[in-house]
Amino acid sequence: MGEIFKNLKKVNYEGPKSTNPYAFKFYDADRVILGKAMKEHLPFAMAWWHNLCAEGTDMFGVGTADKSFGAEPGTMEHAKAKVDAGFEFMEKLGIEYFCFHDADIAPQGKTIAESNKNLDEISDYILEKMKETGKKCLWGTANMFGAPRFMNGAGSTNSADVFAFAAAQVKKALDLTVKFGGRGYVFWGGREGYETLLNTDMKLEQENIATLMRMAVEYGRSIGFDGDFYIEPKPKEPMKHQYDFDAATAIGFLRQYGLDKDFKMNIEANHATLAGHTFAHELRVSAINGMLGSIDANQGDYLLGWDTDQFPSDVYETTMCMYEVLKAGGVTGGFNFDAKNRRPSNTPEDMFLGYILGMDSFALGLIKAAAIIEDGRIDEFVKERYSSYSSGIGAKIRAGETSLKELAEYAEKLGAPDMPGSGRQEYLESIVNSVLFGN
Ligand code: XLS
Ligand code: NI
Ligand code: NI
């Protein structure tokens, strides 16, 4: 097939002063920040589903964007046109990776055998394109939330037959991920939750989810998958209550079922805010537990209570994200734009503009986070704030070498401790502002 985005050329870096809408202002792939090229700090990925499939359908209306790419929707020809469009898009934007659900890449058949046949055919085609272009797969996953059979969940369903169907999909999605050399495999628990406890056996459901994950690890390792499995926490939507509420909950779950060696977190910004956390909080919780895997790079709307999946534009957020990522020594996965254009932004140009915005916002976040680290005042403040633990009784507490008895005697001698020292939040926030806007 010929060129699809005919009016859109390769997007280049032109610098912050550029007024060309189709140029990067901050993302300069080879620029070195803290000893590493931007493109290595930021392995960006295209989300197949939003970019190549989503047409802007919402609860109140049909799609506004045409994603047929010149083919009849729902056919294998359409699936191939999406591959062509996707690879041309990645090439023009300079994006190295893609992420996919089974259901995104080929039409689902009436039976699992029919779906798998379509998947075999399309994955051969994708693999060919990957070889031609050098593009890679960041992660794969199975869509176990869209089809009516999954109305009560996949791993958490009340039906053993549906559970078996989910297992078959996970097996195939793992086969595809390995075929593409994917770095990770994601479990986003779309409908793994409940609407009412009145009809729910929570313990059975959670145990079954763990069983499905354990079988995925066993199978994945047996076919040579050596990447990370990820849980992508989300508190709600579509279910009222989802089991992978946030990173802390998901990490506890993985530890309880002995899955913590094979799994890490895939943190999505918009899911963090839905859980009542900041994006940075979820990243920090994952990092301190050794489970910062990958990132779904998007943003929500603080006035709306659902997953709006917007392209990231808030530089304060991307800066604090990159600050966490740099402090953690990077991610093992990448930055997948789980983001879609707003419904009225419905042209192919908007697809490009969305990714340019997202990539620039993260590049700027990286530049500013590195500047905060190089500035050093925040790190210095935090170090000083906890300095009472570096010697004396504090050091004994840290080393676990004291007891309530000894501490009680120590406290008695002290009489009354001094106040613990100001938190200086406003001072620290003003440092962030001067780094962001000072020059
Ligand atoms: C939905 C999720 C989904 C996962 C992949 O809210 O973000 O897109 O990333 O299934
Ligand atoms: Ni996501
Ligand atoms: Ni999401």
Side-chain angles (χ1 to χ4, degrees), residues 49-50 101 139 186 188 232-234 266-269 271 295-298 307 309 336-339:
W49 53 105
H50 283 317
H101 300 81
W139 53 254
V186 163
W188 167 57
E232 183 179 321
K234 184 176 183 181
N266 179 38
I267 297 298
E268 177 165 321
H271 297 180
I295 287 178
D296 268 14
N298 65 11
D307 202 8
D309 285 342
N336 165 47
F337 287 108
D338 196 353

Side-chain angles (χ1 to χ4, degrees), residues 27-156:
Y27 182 62
D28 183 4
D30 295 316
R31 174 171 166 193
V32 174
I33 306 275
L34 297 181
K36 224 161 80 172
M38 266 195 181
K39 63 175 181 225
E40 285 158 40
H41 280 289
L42 297 167
F44 288 129
M46 175 190 75
W48 208 277
W49 53 105
H50 283 317
N51 206 39
L52 305 172
C53 308
E55 296 176 331
T57 312
D58 71 8
M59 302 273 270
F60 303 95
V62 297
T64 54
D66 178 3
K67 301 266 173 91
S68 61
F69 305 116
E72 180 64 34
T75 60
M76 279 305 280
E77 189 210 345
H78 184 213
K80 286 191 179 153
K82 286 197 257 179
V83 178
D84 294 335
F87 278 82
E88 185 184 323
F89 186 87
M90 286 188 274
E91 193 60 39
K92 287 186 169 170
L93 268 300
I95 295 171
E96 290 235 16
Y97 293 89
F98 65 88
C99 296
F100 73 100
H101 300 81
D102 48 1
D104 308 334
I105 59 173
Q108 284 185 290
K110 285 197 188 64
T111 61
I112 192 111
E114 211 179 295
S115 298
N116 286 353
K117 192 174 148 281
N118 292 345
L119 288 168
D120 287 339
E121 191 182 328
I122 202 72
S123 56
D124 284 345
Y125 190 60
I126 292 177
L127 198 57
E128 227 174 84
K129 288 266 177 190
M130 290 175 75
K131 285 186 185 143
E132 251 169 59
T133 59
K135 301 293 169 206
K136 294 175 259 183
C137 171
L138 183 63
W139 53 254
T141 187
N143 180 326
M144 305 190 295
F145 43 87
R149 68 176 68 88
F150 295 123
M151 68 180 188
N152 296 330
S156 65

Side-chain angles (χ1 to χ4, degrees), residues 164-206:
F165 201 94
Q169 258 186 264
V170 171
K171 176 173 177 286
K172 188 68 183 174
L174 273 164
D175 288 337
L176 296 170
T177 304
V178 170
K179 183 167 177 176
F180 296 152
R183 277 163 81 155
Y185 184 87
V186 163
F187 280 90
W188 167 57
R191 294 190 194 270
E192 310 291 36
Y194 65 89
E195 295 294 326
T196 172
L197 279 177
L198 293 174
N199 65 13
T200 300
D201 184 338
M202 190 193 281
K203 188 162 184 288
L204 177 146
E205 292 197 0
Q206 294 201 0

